[in-house]
């Protein structure tokens, strides 16, 4: 006699040895190191190219406008580049004149500065250093004095003063006056590098605008050749969104600079145009740019005005203008999100400043936005969107599963209530809850869930279903979504699957009383550890649509217990499976036992839609159920159709007529 098999239970703890990085991981790390080194060393090459790409996004709408005016590609690009060059040269000239005028006027402000410094010295602020010195002298004296018990009894003999050595003779070195050639060299050499960089930028800009479609096709060939149609549409949409965003950001920052210049001019601060341009440029620096831009004009106002009113008014101008622009105007123009997480903005600013210095700080946010857009539209670069984007790193189903593992039903309920504002309860169960349960069921099948974790998953999903019992299963009114302006929403991301189609619910007014009684629809759980939770979801949804239900575990329909099962008043039987693989012989025998117990139609819900049972017509024919569905919505719709009589009950799939018809489809008829 063989001993009874010992039931296998999941382990209480799961300890896995640390994994060794594979060849692909080491290769990725090596490529990352090489890219970083290339960016750092090749600043003179990559920086002009990046600046040209950002300028191309800004000028692309202007080029398209000129082309719509019947101008050719070459004239449109040349005109756009000349206009941009003219604006930059004009601003540089204005800034040069403003700086020259400010430098010539600084000696006039010296008296005011000395007077204010003197008044500060005479006040409490000036006495502060002397107080600190007195305190330090007293502290040193207290430390240097020996304690009373160690004080010397006899005074030490006085040492004679050392003779003073003669001091060094002062020597002055006079350099000869510089020649005109030296003056020209000292002035022109510092200007050659920025002029050369600007020349390279505009040359690359011309080629980018001239061959924009060709560059797009090459990007598609590199990253999205498997789906040309969707990838092309995504890249065009990304370029359009980036152009609109950069142009809008440039317009807002320029507007802030104009407001700052006009305000400083009205206050009376010298060189207001210089500080307006400086404020517009510094707004590209995230978070602290505007505050840094406010420091020079405020200090200059304090140096110009004998009093403090001008400095206070300049401080009020920036203290009011920046919050108004950042918290009122920009959210209205951009929407609720800019596409970047705050942490990514700070890290990118530090990174690009380390790589390319102050210019990298100015272009850090636009450049990071370009990387996020690439990550959202190119599958191979999706890690950029995960690292830098503001979208949740986990899907709602993964987040729910994580809350299940943590045993936290409150956070699961909070997340569910947020999602239910834009979808029905049926959609939430289908798109989030069932997928989260599938993740748990797959892990339980592989044996990676401990018994404690499995019980936590059951408790959380049971509590969630109970808490959502008060929510009505109705579709909310469609609301206008505010997607971030720099990337397409997730529904527009290139995928191989079509959009989900939601089947409308049938009318509930014609449901007979027999279907409204308790237990009219018998919801049976599969033999998986989490199938009962799926049955409870289906039962709750059927109840909300006017059908009476009853949930029973899988053990109640076993060979031994099914004879004790009360099937009185059962109009339909629904069986739920979260995971079923191979040849489901147990399901065939279960359906046979149910058919012998009661003549009620049967519905099998196989929630993983890619299951082989749903794809194989032969396998469905051998099982014998009347209906097969892959979503809770379809299950509710099918039950309502049968209850209201909208759909005639078909023959079971394993009757002789259906089996013969199925075989006739597969076997060729004799001639």
């Amino acid at each position: 006699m063989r001993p009874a098999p010992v039931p296998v239970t999941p382990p209480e703890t799961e300890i896995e040895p640390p994994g060794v990085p594979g060849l692909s991981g080491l290769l990725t790390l090596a490529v990352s190191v090489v890219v970083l080194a290339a960016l750092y060393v090749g600043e003179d090459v990559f920086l002009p190219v990046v600046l040209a790409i950002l300028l191309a996004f800004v000028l692309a709408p202007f080029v398209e406008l000129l082309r719509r005016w019947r101008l050719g590609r070459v004239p449109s690009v040349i005109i756009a580049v000349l206009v941009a060059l003219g604006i930059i040269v004009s601003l540089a000239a204005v800034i040069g004149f403003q700086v020259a005028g400010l430098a010539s006027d600084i000696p006039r402000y010296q008296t005011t500065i000395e007077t204010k410094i003197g008044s500060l010295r005479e006040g409490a602020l000036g006495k502060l250093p002397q107080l600190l010195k007195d305190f330090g002298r007293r502290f040193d004296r207290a430390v240097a004095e020996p304690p009373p018990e160690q004080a010397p009894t006899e005074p030490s003999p006085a040492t004679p003063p050392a003779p003073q050595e003669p001091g060094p003779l002062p020597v002055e070195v006079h350099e000869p006056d510089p020649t005109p050639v030296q003056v020209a060299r000292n002035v022109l050499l510092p200007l050659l590098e920025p002029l050369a960089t600007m020349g390279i930028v505009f040359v690359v800009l011309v080629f980018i605008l001239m061959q924009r479609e060709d560059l797009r096709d090459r990007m598609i060939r590199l990253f999205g050749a498997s789906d040309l149609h969707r990838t092309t549409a995504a890249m065009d949409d990304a370029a359009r969104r980036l152009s609109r965003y950069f142009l809008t950001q440039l317009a807002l920052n320029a507007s802030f600079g104009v407001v700052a210049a006009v305000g400083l001019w009205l206050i009376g601060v010298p060189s207001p145009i210089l500080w307006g341009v400086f404020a517009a440029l510094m707004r590209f620096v995230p978070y602290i740019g505007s505050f840094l831009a406010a420091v020079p004009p405020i200090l200059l106002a304090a140096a110009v005005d004998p009093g403090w009113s001008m400095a206070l008014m300049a401080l009020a101008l920036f203290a009011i203008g920046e919050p108004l622009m950042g918290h009122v105007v920009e959210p209205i123009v951009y929407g609720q999100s800019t596409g970047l997480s705050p942490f990514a903005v700070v890290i990118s600013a530090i990174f690009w400043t380390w790589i390319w210095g102050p210019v990298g700080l100015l272009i850090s946010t636009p450049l990071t936005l370009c990387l996020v857009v690439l990550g959202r539209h190119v599958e191979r670069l999706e890690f950029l969107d995960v690292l830098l984007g503001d979208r949740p790193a986990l899907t709602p189903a993964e987040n729910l599963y994580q809350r299940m593992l943590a045993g936290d039903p409150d956070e699961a309920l909070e997340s569910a209530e947020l999602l239910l504002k834009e979808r029905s309860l049926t959609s939430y169960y289908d798109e989030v809850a069932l997928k989260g349960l599938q993740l748990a069921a797959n892990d339980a099948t592989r044996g990676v869930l401990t018994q404690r974790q499995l019980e936590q998953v059951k408790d959380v999903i049971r509590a969630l279903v109970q808490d959502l019992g008060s929510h009505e299963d109705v579709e909310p009114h469609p609301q206008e979504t505010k997607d971030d302006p720099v990337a397409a929403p997730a529904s527009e991301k290139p995928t191989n699957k079509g959009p989900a189609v939601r089947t409308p619910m049938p009318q509930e007014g014609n449901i007979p009383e027999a279907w409204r009684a308790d237990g009219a629809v018998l919801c049976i759980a599969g033999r998986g550890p989490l199938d009962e939770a799926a049955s409870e979801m289906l039962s709750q949804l059927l109840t909300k649509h006017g059908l009476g239900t009853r949930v029973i575990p899988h053990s109640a329909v076993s060979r031994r217990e099914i004879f004790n099962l009360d099937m009185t008043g059962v109009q339909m039987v629904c069986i739920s499976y979260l995971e079923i693989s191979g040849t489901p012989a147990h399901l065939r025998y279960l359906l046979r036992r149910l058919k012998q117990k009661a003549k009620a139609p049967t519905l099998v819900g196989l929630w993983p839609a890619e299951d082989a049972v749903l794809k194989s017509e032969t396998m469905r024919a051998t099982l014998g159920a009347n209906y097969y569905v892959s979503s809770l919505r379809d299950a509710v719709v099918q039950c309502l159709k049968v209850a209201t009589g909208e759909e005639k009950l078909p023959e079971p799939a394993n009757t002789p007529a259906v089996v013969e018809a199925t075989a006739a489809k597969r076997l060729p008829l004799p001639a």
Side-chain angles (χ1 to χ4, degrees), residues 160-488:
Q164 295 183 354
E165 297 182 358
L169 296 176
V171 178
E172 296 183 0
V173 179
H174 294 276
E175 294 184 357
D177 295 335
T179 62
V181 176
Q182 292 177 341
V183 173
R185 184 179 59 184
N186 295 334
V187 173
L188 295 179
L189 282 181
L191 297 177
L192 287 180
E193 184 176 355
L195 290 177
T197 303
M198 182 181 296
I200 296 174
V201 167
F202 278 93
V203 170
V204 177
L205 175 63
V206 170
F207 280 97
I208 290 177
L209 293 176
M210 293 285 290
Q211 298 182 344
R212 187 174 53 176
E213 289 77 9
D214 180 67
L215 294 174
R216 179 203 62 191
D217 295 341
R218 294 180 185 275
M219 290 286 295
I220 293 172
R221 180 65 180 175
L222 283 175
F223 300 110
S226 59
D227 194 349
L228 290 177
H229 172 70
R230 291 184 180 274
T231 307
T232 302
M235 295 295 287
D236 289 340
D237 179 71
R240 184 174 62 256
R241 288 173 180 265
L242 279 174
S243 297
R244 184 173 66 246
Y245 176 79
F246 289 156
L247 198 59
T248 304
Q249 187 183 36
L250 182 62
L252 289 178
N253 292 350
S255 301
F256 181 81
V258 170
V259 171
V262 173
L264 293 175
W265 175 71
L266 294 176
I267 293 173
V269 179
S271 304
I273 299 178
L274 172 64
W275 307 125
V277 174
F278 183 63
L281 291 177
M282 291 301 293
R283 284 207 87 247
F284 286 100
V285 179
Y287 299 120
I288 62 173
S290 299
F291 300 102
L292 294 179
V295 173
I298 293 175
L299 294 179
L300 183 60
V304 171
D305 186 18
W308 297 98
S309 59
M310 185 180 294
L312 293 177
M313 286 189 291
L315 176 62
L317 174 65
F318 284 92
I320 297 174
E322 169 56 25
L324 188 65
M325 178 66 73
H327 299 286
V328 178
V329 178
E330 286 184 351
I332 295 175
V333 177
Y334 291 152
Q336 298 299 321
S337 171
T338 58
L340 287 176
S341 67
F343 180 74
V345 172
V346 175
I347 294 300
S348 64
I350 297 173
F351 174 79
W352 293 114
T353 305
W354 168 62
I355 293 291
W356 290 337
V359 179
L361 178 62
L362 290 177
I363 65 175
S364 61
T365 301
L367 191 54
T368 308
L369 285 174
C370 293
L371 297 178
V372 170
V373 171
L374 283 177
R376 294 189 179 180
H377 293 85
V378 179
E379 186 175 357
R380 296 182 187 178
L381 302 177
E382 189 176 3
F383 69 94
L384 294 174
D385 183 24
V386 176
L387 292 176
L388 304 175
D390 61 349
R391 294 181 179 178
L394 299 178
T395 64
E398 293 169 342
N399 185 57
L400 175 61
Y401 180 39
Q402 194 269 339
R403 292 296 88 202
M404 291 177 184
L405 292 176
D408 192 345
D410 294 330
E411 285 197 16
L413 178 61
E414 182 182 5
S415 176
E417 290 177 344
L418 291 177
L419 293 173
L420 286 171
K421 293 180 180 179
E422 54 187 23
R423 68 190 74 198
S424 64
L425 184 61
T426 304
S427 300
Y428 172 76
Y429 280 158
D430 274 331
E431 299 168 7
V432 181
L434 276 184
K435 293 185 183 299
L437 283 177
Q438 286 173 14
L439 295 175
N442 294 336
D443 286 348
T445 303
R446 294 188 295 116
V448 297
L449 283 184
T450 64
Q451 185 64 37
R452 181 178 60 84
Q453 290 174 329
L454 190 58
E455 293 300 325
Q456 284 181 344
V457 170
K458 292 181 181 179
D459 293 341
V460 171
I461 194 63
R462 188 181 299 113
L464 180 63
V465 173
Q466 291 177 356
D467 292 335
L468 295 180
S470 59
H471 285 263
E472 296 296 330
D473 185 27
V474 293
E475 292 287 347
H477 295 289
Q479 299 179 356
E480 182 181 357
T481 59
K482 294 184 178 181
D483 297 315
D484 58 86
V486 298

Side-chain angles (χ1 to χ4, degrees), residues 441-565:
N442 294 336
D443 286 348
T445 303
R446 294 188 295 116
V448 297
L449 283 184
T450 64
Q451 185 64 37
R452 181 178 60 84
Q453 290 174 329
L454 190 58
E455 293 300 325
Q456 284 181 344
V457 170
K458 292 181 181 179
D459 293 341
V460 171
I461 194 63
R462 188 181 299 113
L464 180 63
V465 173
Q466 291 177 356
D467 292 335
L468 295 180
S470 59
H471 285 263
E472 296 296 330
D473 185 27
V474 293
E475 292 287 347
H477 295 289
Q479 299 179 356
E480 182 181 357
T481 59
K482 294 184 178 181
D483 297 315
D484 58 86
V486 298
S491 59
E492 296 181 17
K493 188 176 180 179
T495 58
N496 296 327
K497 300 178 181 180
V501 179
R502 295 181 179 178
T503 307
M505 295 288 184
Q507 297 295 328
E508 305 172 10
N510 300 327
I511 298 177
E513 290 297 328
W515 286 79
R516 296 181 181 273
D518 292 339
V521 179
L522 189 64
C523 299
I524 303 175
R527 63 179 185 177
L530 299 174
D531 290 339
E532 189 172 352
S535 295
E536 291 177 355
M537 294 180 194
L538 178 58
S539 173
Q540 185 184 87
L541 294 176
L542 291 173
T543 303
K544 291 182 180 296
H545 288 277
L547 299 179
T549 61
R550 178 160 58 107
V551 180
I552 60 174
H554 188 268
S555 59
V557 293
S558 63
R559 286 182 174 85
R560 179 180 299 178
E561 299 293 336
I562 194 170
F563 299 102
N564 301 324
L565 181 62

